[in-house]
Amino acid sequence: MTKLLRSWVESANSESCPFPLNNLPHGVFSVAGSTPRCGTAIGGMVIDLHGLEEAGWLDFSGALKTGSWNAVMAAGRGEWARLRARLTDLLAEGASEATALAAHLVPMRDAQLHMPFSVTEYTDFYAGRHHAFNVGTMFRGAENALPPNWLHIPIGYNGRASSVVVSGTPIRRPHGQIKGRDDVAPRFGPSRRFDIELEMGAIVGQPSNGPISVAEAFDNIFGYVLLNDWSARDIQAWEYQPLGPFQAKAAATTIGPWVVTSAALEPFRVSTPVREVPLLPYLHEPGPMLYDIALEVGLTPEGGHETIISRTNYREMYYSAAQQLAHHTSCGCPMRVGDLLGSGTISGPEKTSRGSLLELSWGGKEPIEIAGGTRTFVEDGDTLVLRGRAIGDGYSIGFGDCAGKLLAARD
Ligand code: MN
């Protein structure tokens, strides 16, 4: 396990800081209404990469001023590594350029964070063993909880890129067509069982056109963000058969503001869990391609205090993002720079490690305790925050909060 890399930005050197020199996550920011541009978090600061390029410290052909990381991703893996190496040198403790570079730092609290990249396509998977078992048990009974294909295929559906928003964007409770088990006819109205899904989003940084291997897929992933796949369970329950979720998940998906690169996560690679049945050869992992990332979900009611409602780990997933991406291309489906792959809800084996309220409250039957009340599903005014942290030797790699507040449905 690598150790903390020390920086001349002092706040980056504490063990609890989510953004040490080892991390260098990529985002897009503006200050006081300026044009959004690419930045990297270091300690409690954001370093303005467009500013660094204008001042001659970096040379990436203007890609850093575009207000999105797509151009850098498209430039290829060699350029990803060159940028990381250059920033690591410039920000290292003892760097001779420190005084001049400090002019390009902005305090995190002054930076407004924007969508870090343009989401070209969005696919969401269903790759958490515990989540699939829990939801399957509630919807179909424990006997038929796991569909017969689940242990063979990373199940997914093609979602909507148009409704992916960055952390901090308010979410409006959606309307939809709903029919409860005992209702004779469906009605149209606001969702009453609005939920979250704790996920990681993998970002495809290199295009492909035709089937690619799991190893190639791993190399094509630029980095990861926290992802909340907001889900209207009552709309979902009525619409999902036979083609899967549609309007239940199309209202909004929130992603975190910081893309943590695959390079930063390299020391935290772990294997997927033991296979319960052998996978077909095209899905075999040539090495550990999942990551050990501690995750939690906080819920804060309007005007209230936060309760951590779930703690789990990304390593609980049955399929890695590389396996999902390889499977996605297996029919020849082209993938584009900026393609976003949701992992599927990350639930652990414990009751307190479930990644959705549907599971935490067992379909609404067992309300959970929060500060000042109870919850079955998300209520108007609630703010949900996802957090993630890979814990190293004397440092940790954070993702920044992935937050969203639920607003009441429109009349
Ligand atoms: Mn999902």
Side-chain angles (χ1 to χ4, degrees):
M1 183 73 62
T2 46
K3 300 230 180 254
L4 171 75
L5 301 174
R6 296 186 66 85
S7 170
W8 53 263
V9 180
E10 261 312 312
S11 56
N13 296 330
S14 88
E15 188 162 353
S16 61
C17 175
F19 306 124
L21 186 55
N22 308 60
N23 192 346
L24 298 176
H26 300 326
V28 168
F29 78 104
S30 62
V31 180
S34 71
T35 309
R37 74 261 314 271
C38 291
T40 290
I42 179 77
M45 314 292 276
V46 180
I47 192 148
D48 177 353
L49 300 186
H50 175 47
L52 288 190
E53 183 159 59
E54 281 192 316
W57 299 103
L58 298 173
D59 175 17
F60 285 84
S61 310
L64 299 165
K65 74 172 176 191
T66 58
S68 136
W69 279 87
N70 295 55
V72 175
M73 289 195 274
R77 282 186 289 275
E79 292 295 271
W80 310 350
R82 187 167 72 88
L83 177 62
R84 182 170 175 82
R86 179 69 173 145
L87 289 175
T88 301
D89 285 347
L90 289 174
L91 294 168
E93 190 172 64
S96 56
E97 307 93 338
T99 310
L101 290 169
H104 300 282
L105 292 175
V106 175
M108 188 75 79
R109 63 179 173 276
D110 295 341
Q112 190 189 340
L113 299 175
H114 304 271
M115 278 292 287
F117 65 103
S118 171
V119 181
T120 50
E121 312 254 3
Y122 168 49
T123 303
D124 192 35
F125 286 88
Y126 186 55
R129 177 77 166 81
H130 304 290
H131 173 72
F133 183 80
N134 288 339
V135 173
T137 302
M138 276 183 267
F139 281 38
R140 291 179 295 275
E143 305 269 287
N144 302 308
L146 275 194
N149 54 9
W150 200 91
L151 293 170
H152 301 275
I153 302 177
I155 307 278
Y157 64 94
N158 290 302
R160 292 294 304 174
S162 61
S163 55
V164 180
V165 297
V166 73
S167 176
T169 308
I171 306 300
R172 180 73 66 177
R173 182 184 295 275
H175 284 69
Q177 193 176 130
I178 297 161
K179 181 184 173 299
R181 282 209 178 101
D182 303 328
D183 297 339
V184 289
R187 62 183 176 84
F188 187 83
S191 169
R192 291 173 186 160
R193 289 158 71 90
F194 196 60
D195 198 359
I196 57 157
E197 289 191 343
L198 165 61
E199 304 192 22
M200 296 294 298
I203 301 155
V204 176
Q206 281 289 281
S208 57
N209 192 3
I212 61 174
S213 68
V214 175
E216 289 167 328
F218 182 82
D219 286 343
N220 281 1
I221 295 171
F222 178 68
Y224 292 80
V225 285
L226 291 169
L227 186 151
N228 182 354
D229 174 26
W230 300 94
S231 300
R233 301 303 181 188
D234 38 8
I235 298 171
Q236 184 179 359
W238 170 231
E239 76 176 4
Y240 89 107
Q241 286 179 317
L243 288 185
F246 184 41
Q247 293 300 284
K249 287 161 179 283
T253 302
T254 302
I255 61 169
W258 294 109
V259 178
V260 175
T261 62
S262 300
L265 292 171
E266 183 65 22
F268 305 99
R269 286 170 64 170
V270 292
S271 295
T272 46
V274 175
R275 302 292 96 181
E276 295 177 37
V277 296
L279 289 175
L280 290 168
Y282 82 100
L283 285 173
H284 284 176
E285 274 188 316
M289 294 187 170
L290 202 56
Y291 299 97
D292 181 355
I293 301 169
L295 300 165
E296 67 176 33
V297 181
L299 187 159
T300 308
E302 182 91 72
H305 297 287
E306 180 176 85
T307 302
I308 302 300
I309 59 171
S310 179
R311 285 194 176 87
T312 182
N313 195 297
Y314 183 46
R315 68 187 302 167
E316 297 286 351
M317 302 314 286
Y318 193 77
Y319 297 99
S320 66
Q323 287 173 310
Q324 293 171 330
L325 176 53
H327 179 67
H328 209 320
T329 67
S330 60
C331 65
C333 176
M335 302 301 292
R336 304 202 284 180
V337 172
D339 241 298
L340 175 65
L341 308 185
S343 61
T345 307
I346 307 167
S347 291
E350 313 295 331
K351 197 170 178 187
T352 54
S353 61
R354 296 172 181 167
S356 68
L357 281 160
L358 177 71
E359 295 163 86
L360 287 162
S361 72
W362 206 251
K365 293 195 191 100
E366 300 170 17
I368 57 164
E369 303 279 330
I370 61 162
T374 61
R375 278 297 177 280
T376 50
F377 293 95
V378 186
E379 296 194 0
D380 293 347
D382 284 353
T383 297
L384 276 297
V385 181
L386 316 185
R387 299 189 188 88
R389 202 173 269 257
I391 301 176
D393 182 5
Y395 74 100
S396 60
I397 299 285
F399 287 75
D401 285 359
C402 175
K405 178 176 178 175
L406 183 65
L407 306 180
R410 287 204 176 83
D411 292 335

